[in-house]
């Protein structure tokens, strides 16, 4: 470790074969889990009163809804590749999906060793410590989920016995609150952010209205994708019209 920490050439270490193996193993687990869940949904759809057509429709809607968030993660991952190397970025940003959290963890870890991200002080030794900090940060989320999920499951069963209608409202309300919190957090940043939100909301409303009027259910599935794409285009033109974030 002493020899390693004296070298600033950490990218070779960041792309070590063992890290590639571990990263691909983690991604393989994610793929296998997804296939297991999809298979389980198809087999048990009947007991939930869903037809196979509805299941396919739900899969398509989920796939379209994932396009926007996935693109943002990919763009951030590309920006972080020169800093952390490919395998750590695949696991950390690709799995957790929060670039801000990962960069903050690495920056704090580097700061404790008197180093900064991306400059000559970010040596192999600092990189190892930063990667460990990023891993521990992500592990905290996963362990919390592992512990709290059974607790929430028991609580949901008790609530279902008290008021079955309540459990049909709570998940939707939680999801709406989560997206609303993310949206309202972006609004004060610049007029371009406001324009993107407004344009996306209008496009989504139009898609839902057309889907109901024309009885075209595919517009419900693709509405989110259309609103994300058109909102991004609107934000792009708003930014270059001088409505974006002020220059630092």
């Amino acid at each position: 470790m002493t020899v390693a920490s004296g070298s600033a050439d950490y990218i070779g270490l960041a792309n070590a074969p063992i890290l590639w193996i571990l990263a691909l193993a983690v991604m393989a687990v994610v793929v296998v889990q997804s296939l297991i869940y999809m298979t389980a949904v198809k087999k048990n759809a009947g007991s939930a009163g869903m037809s196979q057509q509805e299941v396919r429709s739900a899969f398509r809607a989920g796939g379209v809804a994932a396009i926007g968030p996935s693109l943002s993660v990919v763009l951030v991952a590309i920006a972080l590749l020169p800093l952390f190397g490919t395998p750590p970025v695949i696991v950390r940003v690709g799995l957790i999906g929060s670039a801000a959290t990962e960069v903050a963890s690495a920056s704090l870890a580097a700061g404790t060793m008197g180093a900064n991200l991306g400059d000559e002080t970010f040596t192999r030794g600092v990189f190892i410590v930063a990667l460990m900090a990023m891993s521990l940060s992500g592990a905290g989320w996963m362990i919390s989920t592992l512990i709290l999920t059974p607790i929430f499951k028991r609580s949901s069963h008790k609530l279902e016995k008290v008021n079955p209608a309540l459990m049909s409202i709570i998940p939707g309300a939680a999801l709406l609150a989560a997206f609303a919190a993310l949206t309202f957090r972006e609004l004060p940043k610049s007029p371009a952010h406001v324009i993107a939100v407004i344009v996306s909301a209008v496009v989504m409303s139009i898609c839902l209205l057309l889907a109901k009027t024309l009885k075209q259910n595919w517009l419900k599935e693709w509405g989110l994708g259309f609103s994300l794409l058109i909102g991004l285009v609107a934000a792009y033109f708003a930014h270059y019209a001088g409505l974006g974030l002020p220059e630092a």
Side-chain angles (χ1 to χ4, degrees), residues 65-212:
I67 292 175
S70 298
L71 285 177
S72 64
V73 171
V74 168
L75 292 175
V76 171
I78 292 174
L80 294 180
L81 287 178
L83 184 60
F84 297 122
T86 305
V89 169
I90 289 177
V91 176
R92 305 310 319 147
V93 179
L95 183 61
I96 302 300
S98 176
T101 300
E102 301 300 324
V103 173
S105 300
S107 180
L108 289 172
T112 61
M113 301 180 70
N116 298 307
L117 296 182
D119 63 14
E120 66 278 358
T121 63
F122 197 69
T123 62
R124 287 190 172 194
V126 177
F127 168 75
I128 293 172
V129 174
L131 183 58
M132 178 60 71
M134 293 161 66
S135 301
L136 290 175
S137 174
W141 294 15
M142 296 180 181
I143 292 173
S144 297
T145 303
L146 183 65
I147 296 174
L148 294 177
T149 298
I151 297 175
F152 288 148
K153 185 176 181 180
R154 289 195 295 270
S155 300
S156 67
H157 288 331
K158 291 180 180 179
L159 285 174
E160 284 179 351
K161 294 178 180 178
V162 175
N163 189 348
L166 192 60
M167 284 311 299
S168 65
I169 297 174
I170 290 177
L175 189 62
L176 181 62
F179 280 103
L182 292 172
T183 301
F184 289 126
R185 188 177 63 184
E186 299 298 317
L187 288 176
K189 292 184 177 180
S190 74
H193 287 74
V194 178
I195 291 173
V197 171
I198 293 174
V199 170
S200 299
V202 171
V203 172
M204 189 68 194
S205 300
I206 292 174
C207 288
L208 293 176
L209 180 62
L210 290 175
K212 183 178 180 180

Side-chain angles (χ1 to χ4, degrees), residues 1 3-4 19-20 22-23 25 69 106 110 130 133 138 153 169 192 198 201 204 234 246:
M1 177 68 73
V3 176
L19 291 182
W20 271 107
L22 294 174
K153 185 176 181 180
I169 297 174
I198 293 174
M204 189 68 194

